């Protein structure tokens, strides 16, 4: 006679645990679904302002010359890790100073997937006569910097991924 109560009691406990697990999973899913990652955006030269340039400097560790001009940027904020790629024109007279800064960036050699630059027609290092380039992991971030000549202009390409 006591067995049916024991079995019912065990089934009841298992049912409560299962229901609690489902509620916990639903809560975790809801919390993840409600998490606001951020926005992706693309900038051209008309929108690439001093604040954006400051972001590039902070993330890359470079101090860009006052005559540097932002040409393009793609910022990916919709994922777990923020990331951006930027194209910046460097004045001829400041190329050596920027190259020296790049040479002194410390980190561990690394490579990242190219998916961030897929479809960006302006990210085209193959068309540049490259003076200096590096790909590094700095702390937990990834940094790629390419300085080269494109046509008659000196171009700095920066790819940064926060991991």
């Amino acid at each position: 006679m006591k067995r049916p109560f024991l079995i019912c009691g065990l089934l009841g406990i298992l049912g409560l645990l299962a229901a609690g697990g489902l509620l916990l999973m639903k809560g975790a899913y809801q919390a993840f679904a409600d998490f606001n990652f951020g926005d992706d955006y693309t900038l051209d030269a008309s929108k690439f302002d001093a604040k954006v340039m400051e972001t590039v400097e902070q993330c890359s560790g470079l101090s860009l010359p006052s005559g540097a001009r932002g040409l393009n940027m793609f910022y990916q904020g919709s994922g777990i890790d923020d990331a951006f790629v930027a194209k910046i024109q460097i004045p001829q007279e400041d190329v050596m100073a920027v190259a020296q800064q790049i040479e002194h960036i410390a980190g561990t050699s690394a490579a990242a997937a190219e998916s961030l630059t897929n479809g960006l027609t302006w990210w085209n290092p193959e068309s540049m006569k490259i003076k200096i380039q590096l790909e590094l992991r700095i702390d937990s971030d990834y940094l790629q910097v390419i300085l080269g000549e494109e046509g008659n202009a000196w171009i700095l390409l920066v790819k940064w991924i926060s991991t």
Side-chain angles (χ1 to χ4, degrees), residues 59-79:
C59 294
S60 69
L62 295 171
S63 179
L64 299 174
S66 60
R69 188 170 76 90
L71 302 175
N72 299 96
M73 176 185 241
F74 170 68
Y75 182 86
Q76 183 178 30
S78 62

Side-chain angles (χ1 to χ4, degrees), residues 1 5 7 35 65 125-126:
M1 282 283 190
F5 290 113
I7 291 171
F35 188 76
E126 297 81 20

Side-chain angles (χ1 to χ4, degrees), residues 3-159:
R3 272 203 168 130
F5 290 113
L6 178 63
I7 291 171
C8 287
L10 286 174
L11 288 174
I13 290 171
L14 288 174
L16 287 173
L17 288 174
L22 288 174
L23 287 173
L24 182 62
M25 287 174 50
K26 182 182 182 229
Y29 173 77
Q30 189 63 41
F32 183 76
D34 289 344
F35 188 76
N36 184 12
F37 282 108
D39 295 323
D40 295 346
Y41 57 86
T42 302
L43 304 175
D44 62 13
S46 68
K47 302 271 195 241
F48 202 123
D49 60 17
K51 184 175 173 83
V52 175
M53 192 72 77
E54 186 178 307
T55 298
V56 173
E57 288 179 315
Q58 288 173 350
C59 294
S60 69
L62 295 171
S63 179
L64 299 174
S66 60
R69 188 170 76 90
L71 302 175
N72 299 96
M73 176 185 241
F74 170 68
Y75 182 86
Q76 183 178 30
S78 62
I80 293 173
D81 300 323
D82 289 349
F84 71 78
V85 289
K87 182 175 185 176
I88 300 166
Q89 185 174 358
I90 304 295
Q92 169 73 39
E93 61 272 11
D94 296 314
V95 169
M96 290 307 296
V98 172
Q100 288 172 350
Q101 286 184 63
I102 293 170
E103 288 173 352
H104 290 96
I105 297 175
T108 307
S109 183
E114 294 299 318
S115 61
L116 188 62
T117 58
N118 286 348
L120 299 177
T121 57
W122 53 264
W123 181 275
N124 193 6
E126 297 81 20
S127 72
M128 297 170 60
K129 182 179 171 189
I130 296 174
K131 179 173 185 62
I132 187 169
Q133 65 179 332
L134 59 80
E135 290 185 70
L136 297 174
R137 178 160 299 285
I138 303 170
D139 298 323
S140 64
D141 296 340
Y142 166 82
L143 177 67
Q144 179 181 19
V145 182
I146 302 170
L147 178 64
E149 201 170 10
E150 186 178 71
N152 294 326
W154 283 94
I155 300 296
L156 177 68
L157 296 176
V158 178
K159 181 191 298 182

